[in-house]
Amino acid sequence: MVNQHSELLESQYKDPEPLHFALAILATLSGAAGLIIQMAQYRRERNRDRNIIRKHLFIADRSLNRIDEAYRSLISIFDENGILLAPFAPGKSALYADERLLSELNRLQFDIFYGGRDLLNALVELSELLANRDSEIALKIARDLDEIFQKALHSNRFLEFFIELGRMLELVTEFIYRIGERYGFQPTSIRIGLIDDTISRLKSRIE
């Protein structure tokens, strides 16, 4: 059974489709955006437990760290293989992956899946705990998330796609941090600075 599973993974990623990995992160962040948009529409008071809210904020933060690492690693892999400037469309580019790269892509997909699962679960829990003032923060960020999501889907190249993906990641992070300010949540990560730097470097490659 283990050998059959290994053979399936190997055959799946012999000539992996770059779009598959790019859209995996977009799917995770669009799910997070959808939950934030829903929170923006809430207008009722809740019984709030500060400690439980902080718990889910920390879970969301750690999940975003995992997704962010996968995001920057994918950019590096696409850059190494000359795909960043390729059309953002299926079948227009290919990753000719050796065993090392196949293993790395498999790990990244694992991180995207489980990081995304934990992020969405934390946001679902937060949606049941946050109050009216929190929904005002969500509303401001939700508008931008929807606009950026549409831009990402209509990107011409992977380069532009990753720029918009970074902006979505930055906004979801900003939402967690701004909500956290009201509940004593002070993360030690420097993710927003790293995302800003990544986006700036990508923009410098636009021809």
Side-chain angles (χ1 to χ4, degrees), residues 8-202:
L8 178 62
L9 281 176
E10 185 177 355
S11 64
Q12 183 179 0
Y13 296 118
K14 275 290 187 182
D15 185 12
E17 166 60 60
L19 198 65
H20 168 80
F21 298 97
L23 291 179
I25 298 184
L26 180 63
T28 291
L29 293 179
S30 63
L35 286 167
I36 292 173
I37 290 170
Q38 288 181 11
M39 289 185 215
Q41 299 169 352
Y42 291 156
R43 289 292 183 272
R44 65 177 185 273
E45 287 294 336
R46 293 169 175 75
N47 294 322
R48 297 180 299 283
D49 186 315
R50 182 186 183 91
N51 290 329
I52 294 178
I53 289 175
R54 289 181 75 252
K55 168 189 170 184
H56 291 299
L57 287 170
F58 274 108
I59 292 173
D61 187 52
R62 290 193 295 273
S63 302
L64 283 166
N65 281 338
R66 198 169 184 179
I67 295 166
D68 175 51
E69 182 181 350
Y71 163 73
R72 286 183 285 115
S73 294
L74 273 182
I75 290 173
S76 177
I77 290 170
F78 279 40
D79 194 15
E80 178 186 0
N81 289 270
I83 297 175
L84 275 182
L85 299 179
F88 180 69
K92 298 294 184 180
S93 55
L95 285 167
Y96 299 106
D98 56 18
E99 185 176 348
R100 176 198 59 79
L101 183 54
L102 289 174
S103 176
E104 187 171 1
L105 288 169
N106 197 31
R107 177 185 63 80
L108 289 177
Q109 178 155 283
F110 183 91
D111 287 341
I112 293 167
F113 176 80
Y114 285 102
R117 180 200 63 182
D118 292 345
L119 171 63
L120 296 181
N121 285 342
L123 288 174
V124 167
E125 294 296 331
L126 287 170
S127 72
E128 296 298 321
L129 296 166
L130 300 180
N132 286 348
R133 285 191 298 168
D134 301 316
S135 67
E136 293 171 4
I137 295 173
L139 179 60
K140 294 176 183 177
I141 291 177
R143 292 169 181 161
D144 290 335
L145 278 171
D146 183 57
E147 179 183 345
I148 295 169
F149 174 73
Q150 296 302 324
K151 286 184 178 179
L153 283 180
H154 294 89
S155 298
N156 293 320
R157 300 177 297 180
F158 281 103
L159 178 64
E160 287 86 4
F161 172 81
F162 278 116
I163 289 173
E164 300 306 329
L165 200 62
R167 293 176 65 201
M168 288 187 71
L169 184 57
E170 194 171 43
L171 279 174
V172 175
T173 298
E174 181 183 347
F175 171 75
I176 296 300
Y177 286 9
R178 290 184 61 189
I179 291 294
E181 290 174 355
R182 300 190 55 237
Y183 296 97
F185 169 72
Q186 297 178 319
T188 56
S189 64
I190 54 172
R191 186 169 53 253
I192 287 184
L194 290 173
I195 299 171
D196 276 341
D197 183 61
T198 301
I199 292 173
S200 296
R201 290 174 184 273
L202 289 174

